[in-house]
Amino acid sequence: MTEHVLSYMVFFPLAGMLVVLILPSGRHDLIRWVSAAATVPPLILGVWLYANFDTTTTGMQFVERAAWIPAFNIEYFIGVDGLSVSMLLLTALLSFLCIFASWGIDKGVKGYFALFLLLDTGMTGVFVALDFVLFYVFWEVMLLPMYFLIGIWGGPRKEYAAIKFFLYTLLGSVLMLVAILALYFYSEPNTFDMTKLMDRSSLYSTTPLAMWPFNVWGWGFQHVVWMALFIGFAIKIPAFPFHTWLPDAHVEAPTAISVILAGILLKMGTYGILRINYPMLPAATADLAFWFLAALGAWNIVYGGLCAMAQTDMKKLVAYSSVSHMGYVMLGMAAFNTQGINGAVLQMFNHGTITAMLFLLVGVIYDRAHHRDINGFGGLAGIMPVYAGFTALAFFASMGLPGLSGFVSEVLVLLGAWPKYHALTIIAALGIVITAGYMLWMMQRVYLGPPNEKYRDLPEINGREIFTLFPLGVIVVVVGVYPRVVLDLLQASLNNINQMVISHLS
Amino acid sequence: MDLGNLASLKLFHPEIVLAGTIILLTILDLVVANKRLMAYVGLAGCLVALAATLELYGTEPTLLFHRMVALDNFALFFKVVTLVALVAAIWMSIGSGEVRQVHLGEYYIVLLTCGFGMFFMASGNNLLMAYLGLELVSLTSYILTGMLPHNRRSAEAALKYLIYGGVASGTMIYGMSWVFGMAGSLDYAAINAAMSQGDGNEAGLFIAFVFILAGFGYKMAFAPFHMWSPDVYQGAPTPFTGFLSVASNAAGLAILIRFFYPAVSTLGQEGIWTFQAFPALQWTDLLVAVSIVTMTWGNLSALNQNNVKRLLAYSGIAHAGYIMMGLVVLNNDGLTAMLFYVVVYLIMNLGAFLVVMVVANATGREDMEAYRGLAWRGAAFPAVCMAVFVFSLTGLPPLAGFIGKLLLFAAIIEGQFYVLAVAAIINTVISLYYYARIAKTMFLDDPGPDDGPVTATASAVPLLGALMVLTVVLGVYWGPLLDYTTGSLGFFMK
């Protein structure tokens, strides 16, 4: 039983999808409960994994491998280290909660939940796959459900948003595919095994290629492959200038899908960089980290923050705040020290929980008022006090108030980045002020002030909605007070990843 | 082995069965009133021929009929592909509203004859035999394209097809005559021997080969010989379009591979072929250019098409460009990738045309508007299948089309053709736009007030289901098919 725990986590939702598909399409509640049931085992197994995970070793744990396509050395090879476990927990939790956040969907219920469960399998698979082809398959399996979930159940401009998301991501993933194949043929004997490719990291050539413009920039094979992978991941993060799909997709997607997008899909970009670029292409990482991770990260923080400030749509504001907050992850991991990289991954986890809360909260008000215009509300705190309380918690966590989780990760990132990049750290710290600016301003316009007469009768947040928010709120507080619950998980694995690059820093 | 006429007949039963079926159909057409019977007889004949072909698979490579026809796994592979496409096309024809309007007897006779010609395109070991096979396929295709009565598009398409085809085959046979002049023989082994001795003028051979490539490329719809394809796809009856799109493409590839690999190249160590006709001229550069132009032209033209058959025609041109990527690397990995792609393309493209037929049966239309909200108009199953097929054509995992593309990409990256790889990446992204447009129209758009319900033809559902399941299964577990295509690279060489 326990040796296949990861496979169960990946394929339970898929089994749930098959069950949903054979249910009669009129039985909406049955479909919803079956879907919820399909996301429970991964959550339980995730907790079990957390409890049984050995935090002292750096190697892959709970490994499973089986031959898949022997002619190309493709294997079914999965396993986890600390980095993956933290993301796996986030995925299991958010998938479970998002089923309940989707309860109100009543058009094409069967299709929605079937696609959602397929998406769940894809996301879980990405975080455990250790064979490149398997990784790529899971990575792409997410695209189709996402396209349809945004495109069918989304807002007014859903078609535009869905195809934009699809085209951007496909461009990134095809580039990634080419990079994967290049690594495959460069290795001898040819392999898609990610752990083996990491062990061979010193073999990938860094001698500048003869071709323009690589001869001018001094880029070798390793740099070009790094870049191809990086663009694929940067589109997911999303890093400037590849971020433009994100506000559209977030605004049009239904609430639960926005949560999944911001909470999990964005993390895949930074996860991929840490899992693949860092250990496999360390020399290129060391050379390119300043411009493409640190500087771009700092730019993301400020640019995303300023864009957020200009928004009048609550969802769009939260979307741009994601661009800003993911910048901390990039900056932190480019610091190549314990604080920086731990802060970065902790920020990935925290952003997953905090932004999930923010989107759920926006969804709550949208379900009631049917619009998200920041200037169209006022004084909601008096009308819906419990709701306003949750909102305040999420806003303060997002701003990085001490005692809440966002503070810990941002401070770690800034502490880590300071010794290496003084100027960028100062710029990044300004980002915190900008965040406080747009968050408090939104708070003031929506929740404070005289109550808007139009919305005097808005019903208070209901039990189902509290059920989706409460666990996230608890995590935000617990991680804020005692961050070691997550950090202990990460430390050994991340130090290992860090060490691989450090030796190449000049 | 090199067998004479009578001895060859023992190894010739797929062709004999198919030819017998054609003769039987000709007689039946005269005496039977219920023409539906023709379809079932044709289907049975193809299935028997398929069984006979599979039984021969793996026999020692042999030359039949005094070196005219090769019997090897490579030829048998393409015969299997042709027969499977024939079976599917006949099955589609049974349920097609369009085919009901034509003279069924003649339709099935000519369709089977077309398949019969493809057998010789795949197995001809002599330029004359290859040319005869190709012409048999062309002539029958013109007839089938123009078969719809009182349909101006169909007639126009047939005429265009005929004119383009005439020019292409004239060009090709002119090139072949140059080769004959320089090699002194039409036999592939003799041509090979002459090439390896350095007979013939390099520039002359280059011109001759370009001419021959034009003729083959016309069958596969390479740019710039693709102009006929959109009109023909649109004008021909849908089941035949489906057949043409996969089988004609495959047969064109077969004749091309047999000529450019065993006939004029030499197989060296580790499956690497050396092209020996004119070592000084950059043959691969030409192929790379043709491949890039073909896929880009096809994809860009597909973007704005409103007729789904026409759109699939341009997508077919783009796919011909993708398949050609396997050609430039000149090794067995590339060949395997191409054969693999032929099989997955067969499955997904036939599936797509089957859905086109289902919609055309119900609405009488082939334009994009007819697909509006298809999933919500009682045709959820065909719509889901169509989505699977178009996303497989895009090359998304876990669908079969992804594996086909993976193998092709792998071949060119191993050969370090990075420019071609980048072009293929960009093309994949472009192609997603129009494939997703079909999915968007079916799922995301709401049906209009005039859009009636669509019910799938009863006979179409099982075939549709089978093709969809195959598309998914081959995307997840493609090992056996890969072994089969690798095993099909056995050529008769000397």
Side-chain angles (χ1 to χ4, degrees), chain B residues 382-401:
Chain B
V384 169
C385 289
M386 187 67 163
V388 169
F389 298 135
V390 292
F391 287 121
S392 180
L393 284 165
T394 320
L396 290 181
L399 304 171

PDB file of all heavy atoms in Angstrom, chain B residues 382-401:
ATOM      1  N   PRO B 382     -19.884  12.924 -30.595  1.00  0.00           N
ATOM      2  CA  PRO B 382     -19.049  13.355 -31.734  1.00  0.00           C
ATOM      3  C   PRO B 382     -18.223  14.593 -31.417  1.00  0.00           C
ATOM      4  O   PRO B 382     -17.069  14.695 -31.865  1.00  0.00           O
ATOM      5  CB  PRO B 382     -20.068  13.649 -32.839  1.00  0.00           C
ATOM      6  CG  PRO B 382     -21.257  12.857 -32.482  1.00  0.00           C
ATOM      7  CD  PRO B 382     -21.297  12.787 -30.995  1.00  0.00           C
ATOM      8  N   ALA B 383     -18.783  15.513 -30.636  1.00  0.00           N
ATOM      9  CA  ALA B 383     -18.035  16.729 -30.325  1.00  0.00           C
ATOM     10  C   ALA B 383     -16.798  16.404 -29.497  1.00  0.00           C
ATOM     11  O   ALA B 383     -15.709  16.922 -29.757  1.00  0.00           O
ATOM     12  CB  ALA B 383     -18.927  17.719 -29.587  1.00  0.00           C
ATOM     13  N   VAL B 384     -16.978  15.539 -28.493  1.00  0.00           N
ATOM     14  CA  VAL B 384     -15.821  15.163 -27.672  1.00  0.00           C
ATOM     15  C   VAL B 384     -14.776  14.460 -28.534  1.00  0.00           C
ATOM     16  O   VAL B 384     -13.569  14.728 -28.444  1.00  0.00           O
ATOM     17  CB  VAL B 384     -16.260  14.267 -26.489  1.00  0.00           C
ATOM     18  CG1 VAL B 384     -15.061  13.654 -25.796  1.00  0.00           C
ATOM     19  CG2 VAL B 384     -17.082  15.068 -25.505  1.00  0.00           C
ATOM     20  N   CYS B 385     -15.248  13.564 -29.418  1.00  0.00           N
ATOM     21  CA  CYS B 385     -14.309  12.858 -30.299  1.00  0.00           C
ATOM     22  C   CYS B 385     -13.557  13.856 -31.176  1.00  0.00           C
ATOM     23  O   CYS B 385     -12.341  13.769 -31.339  1.00  0.00           O
ATOM     24  CB  CYS B 385     -15.050  11.866 -31.182  1.00  0.00           C
ATOM     25  SG  CYS B 385     -15.664  10.455 -30.293  1.00  0.00           S
ATOM     26  N   MET B 386     -14.299  14.812 -31.755  1.00  0.00           N
ATOM     27  CA  MET B 386     -13.667  15.796 -32.621  1.00  0.00           C
ATOM     28  C   MET B 386     -12.611  16.569 -31.843  1.00  0.00           C
ATOM     29  O   MET B 386     -11.520  16.837 -32.349  1.00  0.00           O
ATOM     30  CB  MET B 386     -14.729  16.750 -33.169  1.00  0.00           C
ATOM     31  CG  MET B 386     -14.212  17.701 -34.214  1.00  0.00           C
ATOM     32  SD  MET B 386     -13.727  16.826 -35.706  1.00  0.00           S
ATOM     33  CE  MET B 386     -13.649  18.122 -36.905  1.00  0.00           C
ATOM     34  N   ALA B 387     -12.936  16.926 -30.583  1.00  0.00           N
ATOM     35  CA  ALA B 387     -11.956  17.651 -29.772  1.00  0.00           C
ATOM     36  C   ALA B 387     -10.705  16.793 -29.590  1.00  0.00           C
ATOM     37  O   ALA B 387      -9.579  17.284 -29.720  1.00  0.00           O
ATOM     38  CB  ALA B 387     -12.564  18.014 -28.422  1.00  0.00           C
ATOM     39  N   VAL B 388     -10.905  15.514 -29.315  1.00  0.00           N
ATOM     40  CA  VAL B 388      -9.748  14.623 -29.153  1.00  0.00           C
ATOM     41  C   VAL B 388      -8.923  14.600 -30.436  1.00  0.00           C
ATOM     42  O   VAL B 388      -7.694  14.714 -30.408  1.00  0.00           O
ATOM     43  CB  VAL B 388     -10.219  13.205 -28.765  1.00  0.00           C
ATOM     44  CG1 VAL B 388      -9.072  12.209 -28.863  1.00  0.00           C
ATOM     45  CG2 VAL B 388     -10.789  13.195 -27.376  1.00  0.00           C
ATOM     46  N   PHE B 389      -9.605  14.500 -31.585  1.00  0.00           N
ATOM     47  CA  PHE B 389      -8.868  14.410 -32.845  1.00  0.00           C
ATOM     48  C   PHE B 389      -8.112  15.700 -33.144  1.00  0.00           C
ATOM     49  O   PHE B 389      -6.948  15.671 -33.525  1.00  0.00           O
ATOM     50  CB  PHE B 389      -9.811  14.058 -34.003  1.00  0.00           C
ATOM     51  CG  PHE B 389     -10.473  12.726 -33.855  1.00  0.00           C
ATOM     52  CD1 PHE B 389     -11.826  12.566 -34.092  1.00  0.00           C
ATOM     53  CD2 PHE B 389      -9.740  11.618 -33.459  1.00  0.00           C
ATOM     54  CE1 PHE B 389     -12.429  11.333 -33.941  1.00  0.00           C
ATOM     55  CE2 PHE B 389     -10.340  10.378 -33.308  1.00  0.00           C
ATOM     56  CZ  PHE B 389     -11.692  10.241 -33.546  1.00  0.00           C
ATOM     57  N   VAL B 390      -8.776  16.847 -32.984  1.00  0.00           N
ATOM     58  CA  VAL B 390      -8.068  18.078 -33.358  1.00  0.00           C
ATOM     59  C   VAL B 390      -6.926  18.365 -32.385  1.00  0.00           C
ATOM     60  O   VAL B 390      -5.870  18.844 -32.800  1.00  0.00           O
ATOM     61  CB  VAL B 390      -8.999  19.308 -33.481  1.00  0.00           C
ATOM     62  CG1 VAL B 390      -9.920  19.167 -34.656  1.00  0.00           C
ATOM     63  CG2 VAL B 390      -9.737  19.600 -32.215  1.00  0.00           C
ATOM     64  N   PHE B 391      -7.100  18.045 -31.109  1.00  0.00           N
ATOM     65  CA  PHE B 391      -5.980  18.291 -30.198  1.00  0.00           C
ATOM     66  C   PHE B 391      -4.866  17.278 -30.417  1.00  0.00           C
ATOM     67  O   PHE B 391      -3.696  17.568 -30.170  1.00  0.00           O
ATOM     68  CB  PHE B 391      -6.455  18.324 -28.748  1.00  0.00           C
ATOM     69  CG  PHE B 391      -7.219  19.566 -28.432  1.00  0.00           C
ATOM     70  CD1 PHE B 391      -8.520  19.533 -27.978  1.00  0.00           C
ATOM     71  CD2 PHE B 391      -6.638  20.810 -28.636  1.00  0.00           C
ATOM     72  CE1 PHE B 391      -9.229  20.694 -27.729  1.00  0.00           C
ATOM     73  CE2 PHE B 391      -7.332  21.978 -28.384  1.00  0.00           C
ATOM     74  CZ  PHE B 391      -8.634  21.917 -27.926  1.00  0.00           C
ATOM     75  N   SER B 392      -5.232  16.104 -30.887  1.00  0.00           N
ATOM     76  CA  SER B 392      -4.200  15.147 -31.267  1.00  0.00           C
ATOM     77  C   SER B 392      -3.460  15.646 -32.506  1.00  0.00           C
ATOM     78  O   SER B 392      -2.231  15.524 -32.601  1.00  0.00           O
ATOM     79  CB  SER B 392      -4.842  13.790 -31.527  1.00  0.00           C
ATOM     80  OG  SER B 392      -3.877  12.855 -31.889  1.00  0.00           O
ATOM     81  N   LEU B 393      -4.196  16.248 -33.441  1.00  0.00           N
ATOM     82  CA  LEU B 393      -3.542  16.818 -34.617  1.00  0.00           C
ATOM     83  C   LEU B 393      -2.597  17.951 -34.216  1.00  0.00           C
ATOM     84  O   LEU B 393      -1.546  18.146 -34.811  1.00  0.00           O
ATOM     85  CB  LEU B 393      -4.585  17.338 -35.604  1.00  0.00           C
ATOM     86  CG  LEU B 393      -5.325  16.280 -36.439  1.00  0.00           C
ATOM     87  CD1 LEU B 393      -6.552  16.879 -37.089  1.00  0.00           C
ATOM     88  CD2 LEU B 393      -4.422  15.693 -37.493  1.00  0.00           C
ATOM     89  N   THR B 394      -2.978  18.696 -33.174  1.00  0.00           N
ATOM     90  CA  THR B 394      -2.085  19.747 -32.681  1.00  0.00           C
ATOM     91  C   THR B 394      -0.818  19.144 -32.102  1.00  0.00           C
ATOM     92  O   THR B 394       0.244  19.751 -32.173  1.00  0.00           O
ATOM     93  CB  THR B 394      -2.779  20.561 -31.570  1.00  0.00           C
ATOM     94  OG1 THR B 394      -4.126  20.766 -31.910  1.00  0.00           O
ATOM     95  CG2 THR B 394      -2.083  21.877 -31.344  1.00  0.00           C
ATOM     96  N   GLY B 395      -0.969  17.966 -31.496  1.00  0.00           N
ATOM     97  CA  GLY B 395       0.195  17.332 -30.890  1.00  0.00           C
ATOM     98  C   GLY B 395       0.247  17.527 -29.390  1.00  0.00           C
ATOM     99  O   GLY B 395       1.307  17.780 -28.826  1.00  0.00           O
ATOM    100  N   LEU B 396      -0.915  17.434 -28.737  1.00  0.00           N
ATOM    101  CA  LEU B 396      -0.934  17.576 -27.283  1.00  0.00           C
ATOM    102  C   LEU B 396      -0.938  16.190 -26.639  1.00  0.00           C
ATOM    103  O   LEU B 396      -1.681  15.329 -27.076  1.00  0.00           O
ATOM    104  CB  LEU B 396      -2.193  18.315 -26.835  1.00  0.00           C
ATOM    105  CG  LEU B 396      -2.286  19.787 -27.169  1.00  0.00           C
ATOM    106  CD1 LEU B 396      -3.577  20.348 -26.629  1.00  0.00           C
ATOM    107  CD2 LEU B 396      -1.123  20.537 -26.557  1.00  0.00           C
ATOM    108  N   PRO B 397      -0.127  15.984 -25.599  1.00  0.00           N
ATOM    109  CA  PRO B 397      -0.236  14.727 -24.874  1.00  0.00           C
ATOM    110  C   PRO B 397      -1.495  14.734 -24.016  1.00  0.00           C
ATOM    111  O   PRO B 397      -1.965  15.812 -23.674  1.00  0.00           O
ATOM    112  CB  PRO B 397       1.018  14.703 -24.009  1.00  0.00           C
ATOM    113  CG  PRO B 397       1.444  16.108 -23.891  1.00  0.00           C
ATOM    114  CD  PRO B 397       0.909  16.834 -25.067  1.00  0.00           C
ATOM    115  N   PRO B 398      -2.049  13.629 -23.629  1.00  0.00           N
ATOM    116  CA  PRO B 398      -1.563  12.273 -23.881  1.00  0.00           C
ATOM    117  C   PRO B 398      -2.234  11.669 -25.106  1.00  0.00           C
ATOM    118  O   PRO B 398      -2.803  10.603 -24.996  1.00  0.00           O
ATOM    119  CB  PRO B 398      -1.983  11.560 -22.611  1.00  0.00           C
ATOM    120  CG  PRO B 398      -3.282  12.222 -22.234  1.00  0.00           C
ATOM    121  CD  PRO B 398      -3.260  13.612 -22.782  1.00  0.00           C
ATOM    122  N   LEU B 399      -2.191  12.325 -26.239  1.00  0.00           N
ATOM    123  CA  LEU B 399      -2.851  11.811 -27.431  1.00  0.00           C
ATOM    124  C   LEU B 399      -1.793  11.359 -28.439  1.00  0.00           C
ATOM    125  O   LEU B 399      -0.644  11.779 -28.395  1.00  0.00           O
ATOM    126  CB  LEU B 399      -3.751  12.892 -28.027  1.00  0.00           C
ATOM    127  CG  LEU B 399      -4.776  13.441 -27.034  1.00  0.00           C
ATOM    128  CD1 LEU B 399      -5.492  14.640 -27.596  1.00  0.00           C
ATOM    129  CD2 LEU B 399      -5.782  12.373 -26.659  1.00  0.00           C
ATOM    130  N   ALA B 400      -2.241  10.502 -29.364  1.00  0.00           N
ATOM    131  CA  ALA B 400      -1.296   9.850 -30.272  1.00  0.00           C
ATOM    132  C   ALA B 400      -0.496  10.849 -31.105  1.00  0.00           C
ATOM    133  O   ALA B 400       0.679  10.647 -31.377  1.00  0.00           O
ATOM    134  CB  ALA B 400      -2.052   8.893 -31.187  1.00  0.00           C
ATOM    135  N   GLY B 401      -1.152  11.951 -31.502  1.00  0.00           N
ATOM    136  CA  GLY B 401      -0.456  12.933 -32.325  1.00  0.00           C
ATOM    137  C   GLY B 401       0.781  13.484 -31.643  1.00  0.00           C
ATOM    138  O   GLY B 401       1.774  13.828 -32.297  1.00  0.00           O
TER     139      GLY B 401
END
